[in-house]
Amino acid sequence: MSEIKLKCPAKLNLNLSVLRKRSDGMHEIKTQFQLINLFDELLIKKTAKNSPISVKTNLGTSIDDKNNIVFEAIKTLSDHTDKELYCDVEIKKNIPLGGGLGGGSSNAAAVLIGVNFLFKLGLSKHELMQIGKKLGADVPFFIFGKNAHATGIGEKLIEEKELIQMKYLLLFPQIHSSTKDLFLQWDNLNKKTQRLIAQSEENSFLPIFLDNDAEIKKNFEKLNQINSLKLSGTGSTIFCAYNEYKEIEKTLKKIPTKWRHSFCEPLQCSPLLTYLK
């Protein structure tokens, strides 16, 4: 086999609480991850020896090659196995960047799994998760490949076996939300405010995210009166759960014209598990 094509799922945070900042600068969190059927597509091709690693996307050069977490993932895997891994990677991005849906982390997980399979490296899921943790807090979850409750920095996972039957409406306000910036803003809040947010919000970042953009806040509050809205990760994706289309018809009519939206369904497990032991 000289190439492999993978589907990289997105995730939603059904809740997200920031618990504390650790001495290493990382944050302890508590969250529930839910996989959804919104996918990036990733193609890995073996190349000739001594060919440079190439990572290309459909979004232009700004996230190609060394600017892409996938490039770092291949290098990290190469260092771990002490093997040169010559390959090209093409990524069709459908998951919005900076949307709190884990697109980059899902891509990194997929390339670790795909390269391990393609080059017959023989690494276990646990080993790949340990490598993934070096790349980003969400990467181990996408290698784990099942819905889960997460603690630690997001790497301590307990499978959620109950299947969610509801569908999801995803709203994309067309802004990039920086996880690093949102955590810095959280750290700058006083302890009392942090405690109040933790007690009153399903997602600790929601008040900060809304306060960063008056127009988004206004539209969120208007739409939230129709359907209960949530924020995924540190944003910018806003979503609501529903059973029947008629429940969200009114919301769809009120979405700002420059916002995109998508209809998604929950996944029980990731298609990436096909290529793991």
Side-chain angles (χ1 to χ4, degrees), residues 9 11 32-35 125 129 140-150 157-161 267-271 273 276:
K11 58 81 180 169
Q32 183 177 353
F33 288 124
Q34 173 63 53
L35 294 162
K125 179 194 279 193
M129 287 174 68
F141 162 69
F142 285 106
I143 298 170
F144 184 71
K146 296 179 181 179
N147 301 316
H149 297 270
L157 301 162
I158 299 174
E159 182 183 350
E160 171 55 72
K161 294 185 178 181
L267 296 174
Q268 184 70 358
C269 60
S270 169
L273 291 181
L276 280 170

Side-chain angles (χ1 to χ4, degrees), residues 97-100 175-182 209 212 234-237:
L97 301 180
I175 65 162
H176 183 285
S177 187
S178 165
T179 297
K180 182 179 178 181
D181 290 348
L182 268 288
F209 172 77
N212 284 343
T234 54
S236 59
T237 302

Side-chain angles (χ1 to χ4, degrees), residues 58 76 101 105 111 129 174:
N58 59 324
T76 303
L101 299 176
S105 295
V111 84
M129 287 174 68
Q174 298 296 287

Side-chain angles (χ1 to χ4, degrees), residues 214-265:
E215 184 179 354
I216 289 176
K217 184 175 184 178
K218 179 182 176 183
N219 283 301
F220 179 94
E221 290 174 346
K222 179 175 67 177
L223 294 170
N224 196 45
Q225 293 175 6
I226 308 169
N227 290 100
S228 180
L229 299 181
K230 296 184 179 185
L231 183 72
S232 184
T234 54
S236 59
T237 302
I238 296 162
F239 69 97
C240 69
Y242 69 98
N243 287 305
E244 302 292 337
Y245 181 81
K246 62 183 180 182
E247 297 171 31
I248 56 168
E249 281 183 311
K250 193 173 179 182
T251 293
L252 291 170
K253 292 175 183 176
K254 298 289 185 179
I255 297 172
T257 53
K258 59 185 177 182
W259 288 22
R260 288 177 48 234
H261 68 274
S262 179
F263 304 101
C264 292
E265 296 187 10

Side-chain angles (χ1 to χ4, degrees), residues 115-127:
V115 169
N116 180 57
F117 183 86
L118 196 59
F119 287 82
K120 297 181 172 61
L121 300 178
L123 298 176
S124 67
K125 179 194 279 193
H126 177 74
E127 288 176 287

